[in-house]
Amino acid sequence: MKTQRSVPLWRDVRFWWVVGQVLVVLLTAIAIAIFWSNLSRNLQQLGIQFGFGFLNSQAAFDIGETPISYRPSDNYARALQVGLANSLRVTVFGIVLATVVGVTAGIARLSDNWLVRQLALVYVETLRNTPLLLQLFFWYFAVFLGFPRLPAHIQLPGPIYLTQQTVALPWFHVTRDTDVWLLLLSANLLLVWAWHWWGSRAAAPTVPLLLKLLGTLAVTVAIALIIFETEILGWDAPRIVADSIEGGLQLSPEFAALLVGLSLYTATFIAEIVRGGVQSVSQGQWEAARALGLRPSYILRLVIFPQALRSIVPSLGNQYLNLAKNSSLAIAIGYSDLYAVASTTYNQTGRAVEVMVLISVTYLSISLVISGLINWYNRTVQLVER
């Protein structure tokens, strides 16, 4: 009976895999140690001790836009929170606006109407092939600072007022029942999501999660209107009072220029992603839907777009991440985002390393949250093999 000879260690592939990984970890640790030693030596030569105690010192500078309460007598930590709130505000609104414009332009690129298709092509090719910073300068200096100063103004239907000081839009305002309604809506959406998740474990859901959530929203609004017998969200239109504008949602020219510039620029890439996703669906799906007698709008909405989402969503997440990171260009037009406030902070304190660490960790956290949400949604639209 022959005995099986063992493979020598130096000829075992698994051994070299382990050795390779250990070497990578060791080299990484050495690189980090060298970087930290060099940083500590340089800070010591400058007489600076690494730490975040400066965050409790008085900021002593003003911030143009403060979505949360802030005074120059507050500390640097509070100032950075204001900058973070401003960054989140433009990121959230920008993602929503870019998605709406991008999906519309992407579908317009596939339109049978020659004029609509060419207009969408010009929009996409013009904006995505020019630098974003240049576009921000155009929107800020040429458009929003070109509006008349109060009391002169441009009025659009809505009413929407355009002035050099502010852009005023109609907006919702909370009532005494809004808090209860939001609590009821959150609880219902959570229950529907839990019901969908539990049901999908046993069999493929017959109704998409998004449709269930929209139905829940509609039912909750109807119930709230019956119970409260009053409006659950008020409608506040801006109005001219003397030489100023009161009410509504008032946007500064800096915020409006940044929001429009970021959204329209990112929407061009989303448009191409949507166009590619729709074209990736086989022609047989179009023909089968037409054979059933569906109208073109129904074919796109009920047959093609749900299948195209499987290839659209992953690339869409990358554009959302780009929009969040590109918001740091706000400093060029004077908008007080996180990077702008942090720049003032390290100019005053000399704590460049600590401030850069805070900025990096914050943007990394924002990106990870966006990526996590997109990955979750991507799993809900992918085919599950059983």
Side-chain angles (χ1 to χ4, degrees):
M1 182 177 179
K2 292 184 178 179
T3 57
Q4 188 175 3
R5 295 178 59 185
S6 60
V7 178
L9 191 61
W10 61 86
R11 299 182 62 183
D12 190 338
V13 176
R14 293 172 298 179
F15 168 74
W16 289 112
W17 283 353
V18 174
V19 170
Q21 294 178 45
V22 170
L23 282 176
V24 169
V25 172
L26 192 60
L27 290 175
T28 305
I30 291 173
I32 293 175
I34 292 174
F35 169 75
W36 182 254
S37 173
N38 188 45
L39 174 64
S40 301
R41 186 171 59 254
N42 289 336
L43 289 177
Q44 193 173 12
Q45 289 175 353
L46 294 173
I48 300 174
Q49 190 172 2
F50 185 83
F52 295 93
F54 72 95
L55 291 174
N56 296 321
S57 303
Q58 182 178 347
F61 64 88
D62 201 4
I63 298 178
E65 292 188 50
T66 55
I68 57 178
S69 64
Y70 171 80
R71 292 173 301 176
S73 57
D74 289 335
N75 56 27
Y76 286 111
R78 187 65 176 177
L80 291 171
Q81 289 175 10
V82 175
L84 175 60
N86 280 332
S87 291
L88 291 177
R89 190 165 63 127
V90 76
T91 300
V92 171
F93 282 105
I95 286 176
V96 174
L97 189 56
T99 304
V100 173
V101 177
V103 171
T104 305
I107 294 174
R109 291 269 283 128
L110 300 169
S111 173
D112 294 331
N113 187 302
W114 180 86
L115 181 59
V116 172
R117 193 169 63 249
Q118 295 307 313
L119 286 175
L121 174 65
V122 170
Y123 158 66
V124 169
E125 295 302 333
T126 303
L127 266 68
R128 76 168 178 168
N129 291 312
T130 50
L132 174 58
L133 185 60
L134 186 63
Q135 293 182 36
L136 293 180
F137 285 148
F138 168 77
W139 287 111
Y140 183 58
F141 293 108
V143 177
F144 287 97
L145 290 189
F147 292 143
R149 293 185 63 84
L150 282 170
H153 60 272
I154 298 174
Q155 182 174 353
L156 300 178
I160 299 174
Y161 295 102
L162 305 176
T163 69
Q164 197 175 102
Q165 289 86 353
T166 183
V167 175
L169 311 166
W171 195 245
F172 301 101
H173 73 86
V174 297
T175 65
R176 59 184 177 84
D177 298 321
T178 301
D179 295 343
V180 180
W181 176 74
L182 288 177
L183 186 62
L184 179 66
L185 178 64
S186 302
N188 286 345
L189 292 177
L190 187 61
L191 285 175
V192 169
W193 175 81
W195 169 50
H196 180 88
W197 174 79
W198 184 261
S200 62
R201 297 176 59 192
T206 54
V207 181
L209 175 61
L210 183 61
L211 194 58
K212 291 178 182 175
L213 294 177
L214 291 176
T216 305
L217 175 63
V219 172
T220 306
V221 169
I223 294 174
L225 288 174
I226 294 173
I227 294 176
F228 299 127
E229 296 182 347
T230 57
E231 57 183 6
I232 48 183
L233 273 178
W235 186 249
D236 188 13
R239 51 202 173 275
I240 299 289
V241 178
D243 292 340
S244 62
I245 298 178
E246 294 183 356
L249 177 65
Q250 300 196 21
L251 310 177
S252 69
E254 292 80 14
F255 176 81
L258 181 64
L259 179 65
V260 172
L262 275 179
S263 303
L264 294 185
Y265 178 76
T266 308
T268 59
F269 295 93
I270 294 177
E272 289 303 278
I273 292 170
V274 170
R275 184 175 67 89
V278 170
Q279 289 181 329
S280 69
V281 179
S282 70
Q283 194 64 24
Q285 297 292 316
W286 290 88
E287 294 170 356
R290 290 193 192 101
L292 292 173
L294 293 177
R295 288 188 293 181
S297 61
Y298 285 175
I299 295 175
L300 186 64
R301 185 162 54 89
L302 301 177
V303 179
I304 303 303
F305 210 75
Q307 298 181 69
L309 278 177
R310 294 168 196 147
S311 56
I312 290 175
V313 172
S315 301
L316 198 62
N318 292 334
Q319 296 309 317
Y320 291 165
L321 294 176
N322 287 339
L323 188 147
K325 290 178 286 188
N326 287 339
S327 67
S328 60
L329 291 174
I331 191 172
I333 56 174
Y335 180 66
S336 303
D337 75 323
L338 175 64
Y339 185 76
V341 175
S343 298
T344 306
T345 301
Y346 75 68
N347 282 334
Q348 288 189 356
T349 62
R351 300 283 187 170
V353 176
E354 293 89 338
V355 172
M356 286 300 126
V357 169
L358 287 174
I359 295 176
S360 302
V361 170
T362 304
Y363 277 110
L364 177 63
S365 303
I366 294 172
S367 298
L368 289 176
V369 170
I370 295 174
S371 179
L373 291 173
I374 289 296
N375 289 338
W376 166 78
Y377 182 67
N378 187 38
R379 284 194 295 273
T380 65
V381 298
Q382 296 298 322
L383 289 176
V384 179
E385 297 183 0
R386 298 180 184 279

